[in-house]
């Protein structure tokens, strides 16, 4: 279980969103499964080295044009702080949101990545550079992509075409999962909530094309409209996969009906925030008992886990419900279902009109009018796939010198401030205060980049984008599965170095702040300490509190899910969180 810095921090900076034409933007999803790492013990905070003096705002790292000095800060501080930026900023056509922190930094990071990757296409010397050049270059080679069409995916579609019953459906899902294309449910490595030292398999609900189960089950006009648009989108994607329009239309209706049944047996968002309810260690025998019509021995062997026994399941009821659908749903519906979901996963690697069709529906959900240009998508994909390779260059150029040490010092100082706050809480008893202090003392953090860079051993042909992307998917899937059944690797990050984000992991009791977010205006080694604390300090404080929120508070200092609260203090905590 991981806690991400996402939507809540968007409110902490100047920003705005486009109105959605059909529905609000879908909630962010977790797309990476790896775990964060542990770092050395926090350094002792140093004394300030850059005192604030009477100089210009720009000289200490602030943008004076972002302010609206005509506004009264006592009446509207947001307008005072951000009014100038709002007045001069338009939301880019290839984005659903504008923001002076996250979005702006991400754009600058992408521009940097583009420059590096384009340069490597012209001249690459080291193995790392050659791999980056080959991967990015094949993504940018649109003529070859258009010429090949769907030919690179025939092997995958043949797997789907072989579905004739529950057994062959199981084999198809197992084979596709081994290739890096998960279907119907997700499986990932996770620390055992009862013993955080070990990694076990985590089987979670999935199988829906809309962002959440409520899109299928709520009968208000908005959600009905979304479902109608979604059904049309499914038909369009099936046509892209070679179906005749009339057939695609019929199959789309059947797919929506099937996904609605899957939604009915899925947990809602509130239930999924309860760590205790999400930890059901029933192991392989329990999984087979809950879902007996699925060929689990074939599945475990296909993904290299035939000797693994330890499995936790987020929702056993989901397995029971889906098991009934394996036999009650006709094979031709399952084939159509798998074809559509495969189409969604290969859209980034297929010809342009394929991605355009997919984006048409995404645009209706988010209000974003234009697809990002190809160089942005290829740069992002290169970062997501070869993050440590690109990260080495990013750190060299964008996070050099004393950046890491200075950031570590400030994180340690903020942690000390929280420790002082915990000691003064009037509603927390002494015993719980001590355990909270122990947890904060044991908390680790990684700044900038991992201690060891990852190697990417999959082979690239240097020419075919689809083949390269599929090889990368298969490699990453196998890497994730290889973690299961082993002690936790505390040096494994779940974010890339250039990523503009941060996170706290309650089972590792650690925070990670990649170099990608440690960029202006969030952070600069040359900015004054108050400016850095007012910007990146908000992010650090946010992540610190995740260790003690409704989820993090259920894990102790070593990452085990256990109750370390005294009864009366726990009652006070739960009462205070109701607001």
């Amino acid at each position: 279980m991981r806690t991400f810095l996402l939507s809540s921090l968007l409110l902490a900076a100047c920003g705005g969103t486009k109105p959605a034409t059909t529905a609000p933007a879908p909630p962010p999803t977790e797309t990476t499964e790896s775990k964060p790492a542990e770092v050395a013990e926090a350094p002792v905070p140093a004394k300030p080295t850059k005192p604030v003096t009477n100089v210009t705002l720009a000289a200490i790292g602030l943008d004076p044009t972002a302010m609206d000095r005509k506004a009264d800060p006592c009446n509207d501080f947001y307008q005072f702080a951000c009014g100038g930026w709002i007045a001069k900023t338009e939301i880019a056509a290839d984005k659903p949101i504008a923001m002076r922190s996250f979005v702006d930094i991400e754009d600058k990071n992408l521009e940097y990545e583009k420059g590096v990757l384009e340069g490597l296409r012209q001249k690459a010397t080291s193995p790392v550079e050659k791999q980056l050049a080959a991967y990015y270059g094949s993504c940018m080679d649109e003529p070859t992509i258009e010429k090949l069409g769907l030919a690179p995916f025939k092997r995958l579609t043949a797997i789907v075409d072989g579905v004739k019953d529950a057994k062959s459906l199981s084999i198809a899902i197992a084979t596709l999962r081994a290739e890096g294309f998960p279907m119907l449910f997700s499986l990932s490595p996770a620390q055992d909530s009862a013993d955080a030292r070990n990694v076990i398999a985590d089987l979670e609900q999935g199988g829906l094309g809309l962002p959440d189960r409520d899109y299928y089950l709520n009968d208000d006009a908005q959600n009905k409209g979304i479902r109608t648009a979604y059904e049309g989108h499914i038909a369009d994607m099936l046509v892209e996969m070679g179906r005749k329009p009339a057939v695609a239309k019929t199959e789309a209706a059947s797919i929506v009906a099937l996904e609605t049944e899957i939604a009915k047996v899925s947990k809602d968002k509130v239930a999924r925030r309860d760590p205790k309810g999400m930890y059901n260690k029933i192991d392989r025998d329990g999984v087979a008992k809950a879902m007996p019509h699925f060929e689990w021995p074939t599945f475990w062997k296909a993904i290299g886990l035939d000797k693994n026994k330890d499995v936790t399941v987020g929702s056993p009821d989901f397995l029971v419900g889906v098991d009934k659908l394996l036999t009650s749903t006709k094979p031709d519906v399952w084939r159509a279902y798998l074809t559509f979901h495969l189409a969604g996963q290969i859209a980034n690697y297929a010809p342009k009109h394929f991605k355009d069709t997919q984006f048409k529906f995404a645009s209706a959900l988010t209000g974003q009018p234009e697809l990002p240009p190809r160089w942005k998508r290829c740069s992002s994909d290169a970062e997501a796939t070869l993050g440590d390779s690109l990260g080495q260059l990013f750190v060299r150029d964008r996070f050099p010198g004393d950046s890491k040490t200075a950031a570590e010092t400030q994180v340690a100082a903020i942690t000390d401030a929280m420790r002082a706050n915990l000691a003064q809480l009037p509603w927390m008893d002494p015993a719980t205060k001590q355990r909270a202090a122990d947890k904060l003392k044991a908390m680790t953090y990684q700044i900038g980049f991992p201690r060891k860079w990852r190697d990417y051993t999959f082979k690239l042909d240097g020419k075919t984008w689809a083949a390269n992307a599929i090889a990368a998917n298969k490699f990453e899937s196998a890497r994730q599965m290889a973690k299961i059944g082993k002690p936790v690797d505390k040096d494994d990050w779940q974010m890339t170095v250039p990523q503009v984000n941060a996170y706290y992991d309650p089972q590792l009791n650690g925070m990670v702040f990649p170099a990608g977010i440690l960029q202006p205006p969030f952070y600069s080694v040359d900015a004054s300490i108050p400016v850095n604390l007012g910007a990146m300090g908000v992010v650090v404080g946010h992540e610190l509190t995740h260790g003690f929120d409704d989820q993090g508070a259920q894990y102790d200092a070593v990452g085990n899910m256990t109750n370390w609260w005294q009864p009366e203090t726990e009652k006070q905590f739960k009462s205070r969180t109701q607001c």
Side-chain angles (χ1 to χ4, degrees):
M1 193 280 295
R2 290 162 293 281
T3 304
F4 282 81
L5 162 69
L6 283 168
S7 56
S8 57
L9 264 177
L10 301 185
L11 302 178
C14 306
T17 60
K18 282 192 175 74
T21 55
T22 305
T29 56
E30 297 181 21
T31 59
T32 175
E33 301 291 349
S34 58
K35 290 287 185 176
E38 180 184 343
V39 295
E41 188 173 327
V44 177
K47 294 181 179 179
T49 57
K50 189 181 289 293
V52 178
T53 56
N54 293 321
V55 296
T56 64
L57 290 175
I60 61 171
L62 292 175
D63 177 11
T65 67
M67 302 171 67
D68 177 5
R69 294 183 181 275
K70 295 179 181 178
D72 183 349
C74 295
N75 294 328
D76 190 344
F77 187 79
Y78 182 78
Q79 178 64 26
F80 173 76
C82 301
W85 180 88
I86 293 171
K88 67 182 181 181
T89 301
E90 291 186 9
I91 300 176
D94 65 350
K95 291 182 175 62
I97 187 172
M99 181 173 286
R100 190 172 160 259
S101 51
F102 286 88
V103 176
D104 282 2
I105 297 172
E106 187 175 70
D107 277 348
K108 293 174 183 176
N109 290 356
L110 277 175
E111 288 281 359
Y112 163 81
E113 291 172 357
K114 177 189 178 184
V116 168
L117 292 167
E118 289 290 350
L120 293 179
R121 291 181 72 185
Q122 304 303 317
K123 182 181 180 181
T125 55
S126 70
V128 166
E129 292 177 342
K130 290 178 180 178
Q131 190 178 42
L132 283 167
Y135 192 81
Y136 175 78
S138 66
C139 180
M140 291 296 291
D141 185 6
E142 292 186 86
T144 300
I145 296 170
E146 295 298 324
K147 180 181 178 181
L148 292 173
L150 294 181
F153 312 108
K154 284 186 177 180
R155 181 171 57 86
L156 299 176
T157 56
I159 295 170
V160 174
D161 292 341
V163 173
K164 296 178 175 58
D165 51 26
K167 181 177 181 179
S168 54
L169 173 62
S170 302
I171 294 172
I173 291 175
T175 307
L176 290 169
R177 182 65 180 81
E179 292 288 337
F181 296 93
M183 300 285 176
L184 194 57
F185 53 81
S186 68
L187 184 81
S188 61
Q191 288 174 257
D192 191 338
S193 291
D195 184 357
R197 299 169 299 176
N198 297 315
V199 179
I200 61 176
D202 181 16
L203 189 62
E204 297 291 345
Q205 66 189 38
L208 302 179
L210 289 172
D212 184 74
R213 69 187 287 275
D214 291 346
Y215 283 80
Y216 298 87
L217 305 181
N218 290 347
D219 279 333
D220 57 278
Q222 185 183 46
N223 280 287
K224 286 181 178 179
I226 292 172
R227 289 196 293 271
T228 298
Y230 179 55
E231 187 172 319
H233 164 66
I234 295 174
D236 290 342
M237 292 296 283
L238 290 174
V239 169
E240 294 290 345
M241 293 293 283
R243 300 290 207 273
K244 293 182 179 180
V247 174
K249 183 177 181 180
T250 300
E251 290 184 337
S254 298
I255 291 170
V256 172
L258 173 58
E259 290 189 9
T260 300
E261 293 304 311
I262 295 173
K264 290 178 181 177
V265 298
S266 300
K267 279 188 174 181
D268 63 25
K269 290 179 292 187
V270 176
R272 288 182 60 77
R273 279 197 64 84
D274 176 17
K276 290 186 175 67
M278 293 297 291
Y279 179 67
N280 302 281
K281 192 172 178 296
I282 61 177
D283 297 332
R284 275 177 54 178
D285 290 343
V287 170
K289 183 178 180 180
M291 198 170 169
H293 290 100
F294 192 83
E295 293 289 323
W296 288 107
T298 300
F299 179 82
W300 298 122
K301 186 175 182 179
I303 62 175
L305 294 179
D306 49 315
K307 296 181 180 180
N308 181 72
K309 301 293 183 183
D310 298 327
V311 184
T312 182
V313 177
S315 174
D317 289 342
F318 173 81
L319 299 184
V320 173
V322 170
D323 186 71
K324 296 177 182 177
L325 296 174
L326 294 178
T327 54
S328 65
T329 303
K330 295 179 179 180
D332 59 337
V333 175
W334 279 117
R335 286 195 299 272
Y337 169 87
L338 293 180
T339 299
F340 165 66
H341 283 277
L342 179 62
Q345 294 187 53
I346 66 173
N348 285 337
Y349 323 133
K352 182 179 181 299
H353 61 88
F354 211 98
K355 184 64 178 178
D356 289 342
T357 299
Q358 185 185 57
F359 178 73
K360 180 181 177 182
F361 179 68
S363 176
L365 283 177
T366 65
Q368 178 179 321
E370 292 182 9
L371 190 67
R374 186 158 194 91
W375 72 263
K376 283 189 178 182
R377 288 179 278 141
C378 291
S379 297
S380 296
D381 206 293
E383 179 197 316
T385 304
L386 301 168
D388 275 20
S389 296
L390 197 53
Q392 295 176 55
L393 307 180
F394 186 90
V395 168
R396 179 196 67 192
D397 299 334
R398 302 293 296 274
F399 197 66
D402 295 331
S403 297
K404 181 180 176 73
T405 302
E408 286 176 339
T409 299
Q410 292 185 23
V411 171
I414 296 168
T415 304
D416 281 347
M418 184 170 181
R419 186 177 293 110
N421 284 349
L422 279 172
Q424 298 172 11
L425 288 178
W427 54 271
M428 186 177 279
D429 69 276
T432 305
K433 278 185 179 180
Q434 184 59 53
R435 293 191 185 100
D438 291 342
K439 179 171 184 177
L440 195 60
K441 183 178 180 180
M443 192 178 292
T444 62
Y445 46 82
Q446 287 190 309
I447 304 295
F449 49 91
R451 286 187 282 194
K452 182 180 179 181
W453 296 108
R454 187 180 303 161
D455 291 325
Y456 302 95
T457 57
F458 59 91
K459 294 182 180 180
L460 302 177
D461 66 12
K463 297 179 181 179
T464 307
W465 167 229
N468 289 341
I470 291 172
N473 275 354
K474 187 172 183 177
F475 169 83
E476 180 60 18
S477 179
R479 190 182 76 85
Q480 295 295 335
M481 294 303 101
K483 299 176 185 178
I484 296 172
K486 297 177 182 177
V488 62
D489 178 5
K490 294 185 177 182
D491 286 328
D492 188 29
W493 284 34
Q494 69 186 44
M495 284 183 181
T496 64
V497 169
Q499 192 167 346
V500 188
N501 215 326
Y503 66 87
Y504 168 81
D505 188 306
Q507 288 189 274
L508 284 172
N509 191 26
M511 302 178 292
V512 172
F513 304 99
I517 197 172
L518 294 167
Q519 302 292 318
F522 262 145
Y523 173 83
S524 171
V525 69
D526 296 322
S528 70
I529 288 176
V531 169
N532 279 333
L533 292 181
M536 193 62 201
V538 174
V539 181
V540 176
H542 174 99
E543 296 307 324
L544 276 169
T545 60
H546 273 316
F548 305 90
D549 65 13
D550 63 322
Q551 292 180 313
Q554 299 187 52
Y555 294 85
D556 63 16
V558 298
N560 290 327
M561 188 167 60
T562 184
N563 191 341
W564 48 272
W565 297 70
Q566 291 293 316
E568 182 57 33
T569 296
E570 182 182 19
K571 183 179 178 181
Q572 288 251 17
F573 174 77
K574 290 181 177 180
S575 174
R576 288 167 182 270
T577 61
Q578 293 307 305
C579 67

